Amino acid sequence: MWPYVAMARTLETEPDRVYERIVTEVAAIDGTDPMELPPLFNAVDPDALLSVFSATESGVSRSGRVEFPYAGYEITITFDDDPELRIERA
């Protein structure tokens, strides 16, 4: 189980699974079934989220940060060499 810090989780994740990780981690924090949460695409376009992690046409990795609210949480994804997902109660 991931450690809680002020109702937040920070963890590394694989870029191609980040949207699944968001839903499963929020469900775990809430102690609910992931199917009971609102669809993630209501908060962010999963395809657009994946494209942020893909390399540029020249092959250079992107870096940056994406933030959005989801199911009562503030989701922050920092991406560089190893993407980091932070889920914090809003």
Side-chain angles (χ1 to χ4, degrees):
M1 180 123 275
W2 300 100
Y4 287 96
V5 179
M7 291 307 293
R9 289 185 182 192
T10 300
L11 48 113
E12 291 182 6
T13 188
E14 297 173 34
D16 60 342
R17 312 232 4 150
V18 69
Y19 52 90
E20 293 173 16
R21 193 72 183 262
I22 292 166
V23 174
T24 57
E25 291 299 322
V26 167
I29 292 170
D30 276 353
T32 189
D33 185 303
M35 297 301 291
E36 293 180 20
L37 293 173
L40 182 61
F41 64 78
N42 287 348
V44 67
D45 180 343
D47 291 331
L49 190 57
L50 285 177
S51 71
V52 195
F53 289 101
S54 61
T56 63
E57 287 184 19
S58 63
V60 176
S61 296
R62 300 175 196 258
S63 63
R65 180 180 174 130
V66 175
E67 296 181 30
F68 57 92
Y70 173 67
Y73 292 87
E74 186 64 29
I75 309 299
T76 304
I77 305 164
T78 306
F79 50 100
D80 215 343
D81 292 331
D82 294 315
E84 184 178 87
L85 170 63
R86 181 167 177 82
I87 301 170
E88 189 169 15
R89 191 169 298 280

